[in-house]
Amino acid sequence: MSEQRFGEFVAVRRHEHVAELVLDRPKAMNAVSTEMARSIGAACAALAEDPSVRVTVLTSSGDRAFCVGADLKERNSFTDAELVRQRPVARGAYTGVLELPMPTIAAVHGFALGGGFELALACDLIVADATAVVGLPEVSVGVIPGGGGTQLLPRRVGAARAAELVFTARRLEAAEAESLGLVDRLVNEAREGALELAARIAANSPVGLRAAKRAMRLGQGLDLRAGLEVEDAAWRSVAFSGDRAEGVAAFNEKRKPEWPGE
């Protein structure tokens, strides 16, 4: 396993074709400072450019929290002008995760609140363990979810359910979060379970995985006819690929495919 650092608070670890993006500021419960947000964005930009990465898993260090959201101590010191200047940096962290081209999995252990839960929502799948506590409490401190929460949560659980959760600012423990669809899978240990799921996904065609994600993301919110056109374009992008040729050959020869990734 290799590791690459992005600033003081973010690391990327490689497990063959799985990249582990680690939030590594445990003393602050992984609260996202300006420096950390910039590092998340930089790490995501590097991952997006690496065709060997088939799945990215977003994990965290420390026992208490996945991420408790924005660094409110830092925010409290900002002037209005500084807050305006910091906004694009903060957005860059969330959109960096959201726009990763490969499948992404969040591994939630402990608190995932506010921007921390929004980082998880930016992933395709959320795996959690019994320690998980999730929520979007922003209206309780006079703001709104600003890392994608008002858009991503309704897409995940429906408009009325999302409204109730955002308006009440309440926290949900793991079992209720799973029952309402805020997390997708409960496991014994979040990081281990997420990496196991990632390895299973990474056994499939990297070209196929990225095209399938692109089709689902671009088609979301479109009417069926338009969505099927998006799907057809994604199919055409893989139909004549090296991965497709290898997949068919491996199936016929009853062997494990050796994906060229192109």
Side-chain angles (χ1 to χ4, degrees):
M1 180 182 70
S2 63
E3 179 175 296
Q4 180 181 4
R5 301 294 304 190
F6 290 83
E8 184 179 355
F9 303 127
V10 175
V12 172
R13 299 171 184 156
R14 287 299 299 268
H15 310 267
E16 297 184 358
H17 292 293
V18 174
E20 182 183 0
L21 175 56
V22 187
L23 307 177
D24 191 20
R25 196 187 179 203
K27 290 182 180 179
M29 297 178 74
N30 294 313
V32 181
S33 63
T34 302
E35 178 188 348
M36 187 173 174
R38 191 173 285 115
S39 295
I40 293 170
C44 288
L47 288 168
E49 293 297 317
D50 188 342
S52 70
V53 178
R54 299 181 187 175
V55 185
T56 295
V57 179
L58 181 60
T59 70
S60 59
S61 62
D63 294 329
R64 296 182 62 199
F66 172 75
C67 174
V68 293
D71 185 340
L72 296 184
K73 290 183 179 179
E74 179 191 64
R75 290 277 179 93
N76 192 49
S77 71
F78 284 170
T79 65
D80 289 351
E82 287 171 335
L83 183 60
V84 169
R85 285 196 297 270
Q86 193 256 4
R87 175 63 175 164
V89 179
R91 286 195 70 185
Y94 301 108
T95 56
V97 176
L98 184 65
E99 294 178 0
L100 284 170
M102 74 292 291
T104 51
I105 304 169
V108 176
H109 176 87
F111 293 105
L113 301 172
F117 188 43
E118 288 173 303
L119 285 172
L121 288 171
C123 295
D124 298 303
L125 297 167
I126 302 176
V127 171
D129 58 33
T131 68
V133 178
V134 305
L136 296 176
E138 284 87 346
V139 299
S140 70
V141 293
V143 291
I144 70 165
T150 67
Q151 305 304 305
L152 294 170
L153 190 60
R155 284 165 166 79
R156 174 174 271 272
V157 300
R161 179 74 69 194
E164 186 260 327
L165 295 170
V166 171
F167 296 162
T168 62
R170 71 186 181 93
R171 303 177 178 189
L172 292 79
E173 295 186 356
E176 185 181 8
E178 184 197 28
S179 71
L180 297 183
L182 276 73
V183 304
D184 301 301
R185 183 180 292 190
L186 283 184
V187 296
N188 288 332
E189 201 283 314
R191 177 179 177 270
E192 180 181 307
L195 288 172
E196 287 176 359
L197 178 58
R200 181 176 179 180
I201 293 171
N204 296 311
S205 158
V207 170
L209 289 170
R210 291 181 181 224
K213 174 167 178 170
R214 188 168 66 248
M216 288 189 284
R217 284 284 179 91
L218 293 177
Q220 195 169 53
L222 300 179
D223 65 54
L224 179 58
R225 185 173 299 229
L228 290 173
E229 291 302 318
V230 168
E231 181 182 81
D232 186 65
W235 178 85
R236 291 174 186 276
S237 75
V238 301
F240 308 104
S241 67
D243 273 17
R244 184 260 181 184
E246 169 62 11
V248 172
F251 178 82
N252 287 325
E253 296 165 17
K254 296 181 173 58
R255 60 174 174 82
K256 186 177 180 180
E258 299 286 341
W259 304 115
E262 59 186 20

